[in-house]
Structure formats: structure tokens, C-alpha cells
Amino acid sequence: MYHIGVGGDDVGLDGFTDEELAAAAAAGDPEAFEVLVTRMAPIVLRFVRRMVGDAQTGEDLAQETVLALWRGLPEFAFRSTVRTWVLGIAHRKVVDHYRRRRDVPAPDTRFADLEAPEPLPAEAAEQTALRDALRTELSQMQATPRAVWWLREVEGLSLAEIATVLSLTDGSVRGHLQRSRAFLTTRLAPWKPGASVHAGEPSAEPRSERGQR
């Protein structure tokens, strides 16, 4: 049996990869599973909270994901990374949640006509005002582009990994990412360095005087 730290040996589990921990947990090592959950829980919780917009529901779905992780480990075939697999479970829990509410988001058409400019600057997202605005704009997105953007920009998954998590093609993921970046860049333009007005504030220049001279 594949077991990490047997016999009370002082073996640090933090040095093992997610895949090694998953293999050990699948073989019956509870300590390995505990460390694996410690690693995965923050990622899962951030994702589901952002997708459902409610802290308590997010907690519940994260708990369901961990339970499904435990039950599914013996059948996990390592055809993807553990992180990709776990986020796929979390995504299915989110979809099930919306289905239970009979509120499955409609296919996305919101960003169809937008071009894809440069991605949202990561350093600007550190500003409090921009962070609050970003949270608001993300909540207005359809579920799929929101998930794609979050998994790429926050969790750092590759396009192929996101396609696996969300059961999409690579091309579909790329399109959703480009359109969501375009949407956020446009909506958050007032918070870019050098911008003189904030969203919802009128311009200091009267409309009637624009373009004169």
C-alpha cells in the first residue's frame, strides 16, 4: 500500500505533489487526504463563491465537492492534474445548484460583438476601487465566461485545463476568455491609471462643447 509518513516517521507531506497525495489517499492514507484537502479547499471555495455569489451556498458546494473528491479518488485515473479534476467536480456542483433552482444561465451572447483588447492589467486589480468594481462586473457576466476568466486569470489554469474543467473545446475557451477580457477592460476603463472619471460620473466637459475647435 502506498502510504506517506507511516510508522510515525516525521515525513513532511507538504513536499509531495498533489498527484502523489491523491494516490496515497486513494490507497487509504487519511493524512495524505487531509493535506490534499487543505491544498484544494481554498481554490474550490474561491471558485464556487464567485460562481454562485453567496458565501453560505459557496461553503455548502465546497463541502459537497470535498465529499465527492473523497468518494471519487479510487476511480481517479490521473488523466488530468488533481487540481483540474477537483475544479471539474466543483463546476458540476455549481451546475447542479443552478439546475435545482431551475435557473440555469442561458447561452452567452452578451459579449458577441466585442473585440478583444489587451487583458486587464494585474497590477490595477490591487486597487480597492477596481477590485470592488471587478467583483460587481463579474457578477453581471454569464456563468461560462465568468468561470473561464476566473480559472485563467485568478487560478492560472491553462486553456486546455479550463476546457477539461468546463467540458468545452479549446476554441470555445479561447473565445470566452477574449470576450470576457474585452468586456472587463471596457467596463473597468475608468479605473485604469490616468483615467479622469469613474463609472457613473459625468464628464467634466459638457457634451455640447466636445468636438469644437
Side-chain angles (χ1 to χ4, degrees):
M1 177 181 292
Y2 183 0
H3 188 86
I4 298 175
V6 293
D9 293 339
D10 186 19
V11 179
L13 299 182
D14 289 343
F16 289 86
T17 67
D18 296 341
E19 285 65 38
E20 289 171 332
L21 290 170
D29 188 332
E31 293 181 17
F33 180 73
E34 182 177 350
V35 174
L36 183 63
V37 168
T38 299
R39 288 185 187 178
M40 294 296 112
I43 299 172
V44 169
L45 191 56
R46 284 195 303 264
F47 176 66
V48 295
R49 277 181 173 174
R50 187 55 54 205
M51 294 305 297
V52 301
D54 177 76
Q56 185 57 57
T57 301
E59 294 274 0
D60 294 342
L61 294 179
Q63 290 290 340
E64 291 180 19
T65 299
V66 170
L67 181 59
L69 165 63
W70 172 251
R71 291 174 174 170
L73 271 173
E75 285 74 44
F76 178 49
F78 295 91
R79 287 188 291 267
S80 67
T81 65
V82 172
R83 181 177 62 164
T84 299
W85 176 60
V86 173
L87 282 170
I89 296 173
H91 172 66
R92 290 191 291 276
K93 295 299 179 183
V94 169
V95 171
D96 289 343
H97 163 72
Y98 280 112
R99 284 176 177 163
R100 288 194 295 269
R101 293 178 54 196
R102 297 183 179 181
D103 188 25
V104 180
D108 174 52
T109 57
R110 187 187 299 267
F111 317 123
D113 297 327
L114 293 175
E115 296 180 358
E118 294 297 321
L120 181 70
E123 62 271 16
E126 298 297 325
Q127 301 175 14
T128 301
L130 176 57
R131 192 165 56 243
D132 292 343
L134 176 60
R135 184 180 299 110
T136 298
E137 296 302 336
L138 282 173
S139 70
Q140 301 303 313
M141 279 189 182
Q142 295 286 346
T144 299
R146 188 194 325 164
V148 168
W149 187 91
W150 186 266
L151 292 174
R152 178 60 177 169
E153 304 292 4
V154 178
E155 301 301 343
L157 270 64
S158 68
L159 298 187
E161 288 175 323
I162 297 171
T164 299
V165 170
L166 302 181
S167 299
L168 300 172
T169 65
D170 288 358
S172 180
V173 169
R174 188 176 293 107
H176 281 302
L177 181 61
Q178 289 176 340
R179 291 190 292 272
S180 61
R181 282 173 168 174
F183 174 77
L184 289 173
T185 299
T186 300
R187 297 289 292 179
L188 300 176
W191 282 267
K192 292 178 66 175
S196 59
V197 294
H198 289 283
E201 295 180 0
S203 171
E205 181 184 12
R207 183 179 299 274
S208 61
E209 296 179 8
R210 295 176 188 170
Q212 293 185 3
R213 296 184 181 181

